[in-house]
Amino acid sequence: MMKRAWGMFQGVVANVFVALFSITCIFPIIWMIYSSLKTDKEFSLNILSLPAKPEFGNYSRAITEGRIGSYFMNSMFNTLSALVVVLVISFITGYCISRFRFKGRTFIYYMFLSGMLIPIYALLIPIFVEFKTLGLLNKKFTLILPYIAFALPTGVFLVESSVESVPIEVEEAACIDGSSFLNTMFRIVMPMCKPVLSTVAILTFLHTWNEFPLALVLIRSNALKTMPIGLTNFVGSYTVNYPLMLAALVVSTLPVVIMYLLFYNQIMKGMTAGAVKG
C-alpha cells in the first residue's frame, strides 16, 4: 500500500514539474502578445499588467514606420528559396550516399558531418571576404547561398539515415514492375522519407528565418534586410519603444509557431528516424 502511494506521489510531483515547466515555456509568448497591445506608457508603468485598452495600432505602425512588411517578405524569400534547394539536394545526396558504394563515398559523408561541427561565427570573416571579392554582397540571393551551405550537413545526415532504413527490396520490386530509377527514387522512396524531410524542412526554416549574424555582415542595403535585422530599428540610441518592438516580434514569430504546430508530429517522427541508423 505504501509502495503504491509513493508511486502515485512521484507521479503527481512529476506532472506538477512538467506543468510548471510548460507554463514557463508558454508564458513568454502570451506576455509578448498582450504586451504588444499596450501603449508605451502602460508598458513602462507595469510590464506584467494587461493592457487597459488593446492598442492594435501598434501593428500598423510597426508595418508602416518600421517597414516590417518589407523585412518579412525578404525573410520569406530567403527562407523558402533555401528550403526548396536544401530539400532537393539533401534527398538526392543522402540517397546516393546511402544506396551507392563508390570511391570517396565515406570521405564525402564525413565532410558533410564535419559541417555540422563548424560554428557560423568562426566563418563570418572568411565568408565576408570571399563574398566581397566575388562581388556577391548586397544581392537578392546573397544570404541564400550560405543558408543552403549551413543547412545541408544536417539535411544530408538525416536523409541518409532515413533512406538506409528503407528496405532495398522495395526498390527491387519497383524495378521488376518496370519503374524507372528516377520514378522509384522520387515517387516511392521519397514519400517513405516524408517524416525526416519534414524535419529537415522545419530545421532549415527555423535556422534561416531567425538567422542574424550573416544577415548583419553580408547585407547593407535597407531594402534587402531581413526580419531579425529589421527588429533593431525599434532600438534607439537612448530609448526603446517596447510595444512596437513586441508587435514586430509577434509578426516575426507567427510563421515559426504556425509551422511548428502544423508539423509537430512530423518533427518527432523525423528526429527519431534520423537518430538511429538501420
Side-chain angles (χ1 to χ4, degrees), residues 107-119 123 153-154 157:
F107 173 76
I108 294 174
Y109 179 67
Y110 282 111
M111 281 292 292
F112 276 108
L113 288 186
S114 65
M116 299 171 62
L117 306 176
I118 302 175
L123 298 177
T154 302
F157 171 72

Side-chain angles (χ1 to χ4, degrees), residues 18 22 194-196 198-203 206 255-272:
V18 172
S22 300
K194 183 180 177 181
V196 79
S198 298
T199 302
V200 173
I202 296 298
L203 294 177
L206 293 176
V256 177
V257 174
I258 291 175
M259 284 203 68
Y260 184 80
L261 293 177
L262 291 177
F263 298 101
Y264 171 80
N265 291 329
Q266 296 293 341
I267 295 175
M268 297 299 104
K269 292 179 182 178
M271 292 303 292
T272 303

Side-chain angles (χ1 to χ4, degrees), residues 141-159:
F141 57 84
T142 294
L143 294 175
I144 298 175
L145 301 177
Y147 287 171
I148 293 172
F150 280 103
L152 274 178
T154 302
V156 171
F157 171 72
L158 292 175
V159 171

Side-chain angles (χ1 to χ4, degrees), residues 1-242:
M1 190 70 178
M2 290 294 293
K3 186 176 181 180
R4 182 180 179 184
W6 175 248
M8 292 178 61
F9 174 75
Q10 287 180 317
V12 170
V13 172
N15 288 330
V16 170
F17 175 79
V18 172
L20 292 175
F21 182 76
S22 300
I23 291 174
T24 61
C25 295
I26 297 174
F27 178 74
I29 299 177
I30 298 175
W31 174 82
M32 178 178 66
I33 293 174
Y34 76 70
S35 294
S36 67
L37 300 175
K38 290 182 177 182
T39 63
D40 193 34
K41 182 179 180 180
E42 283 180 321
F43 188 90
S44 301
L45 292 175
N46 191 337
I47 64 173
L48 295 178
S49 65
L50 294 172
K53 182 181 178 181
E55 187 65 39
F56 292 101
N58 288 337
Y59 286 89
S60 60
R61 289 181 59 195
I63 294 174
T64 55
E65 298 177 17
R67 300 189 61 184
I68 289 301
S70 174
Y71 302 142
F72 184 93
M73 294 306 298
N74 289 336
S75 288
M76 189 61 70
F77 172 77
N78 292 332
T79 300
L80 294 181
S81 299
L83 181 60
V84 172
V85 177
V86 167
L87 284 176
V88 174
I89 296 180
S90 293
F91 177 73
I92 295 175
T93 306
Y95 179 88
C96 292
I97 292 176
S98 175
R99 286 292 188 250
F100 300 111
R101 299 295 181 264
F102 52 90
K103 189 175 181 180
R105 169 185 173 275
T106 303
F107 173 76
I108 294 174
Y109 179 67
Y110 282 111
M111 281 292 292
F112 276 108
L113 288 186
S114 65
M116 299 171 62
L117 306 176
I118 302 175
I120 186 174
Y121 299 100
L123 298 177
L124 280 177
I125 295 178
I127 290 176
F128 174 78
V129 173
E130 181 179 2
F131 274 50
K132 184 177 181 181
T133 303
L134 297 175
L136 298 177
L137 296 177
N138 285 315
K139 305 292 184 183
K140 190 72 173 177
F141 57 84
T142 294
L143 294 175
I144 298 175
L145 301 177
Y147 287 171
I148 293 172
F150 280 103
L152 274 178
T154 302
V156 171
F157 171 72
L158 292 175
V159 171
E160 192 274 340
S161 300
S162 180
V163 173
E164 191 75 22
S165 65
V166 177
I168 190 66
E169 290 78 12
V170 174
E171 297 177 56
E172 292 174 349
C175 182
I176 293 174
D177 291 338
S179 176
S180 65
F181 171 73
L182 292 178
N183 185 71
T184 301
M185 180 178 175
F186 288 104
R187 300 189 64 179
I188 296 177
V189 179
M190 194 173 189
M192 298 178 71
C193 297
K194 183 180 177 181
V196 79
L197 289 175
S198 298
T199 302
V200 173
I202 296 298
L203 294 177
T204 302
F205 185 92
L206 293 176
H207 168 74
T208 55
W209 185 264
N210 296 318
E211 197 281 323
F212 184 84
L214 285 173
L216 179 65
V217 172
L218 301 180
I219 297 296
R220 284 289 178 267
S221 173
N222 199 48
L224 298 176
K225 288 182 178 179
T226 58
M227 282 294 291
I229 305 300
L231 292 174
T232 60
N233 290 347
F234 299 95
V235 180
S237 301
Y238 304 101
T239 60
V240 180
N241 192 324
Y242 287 105

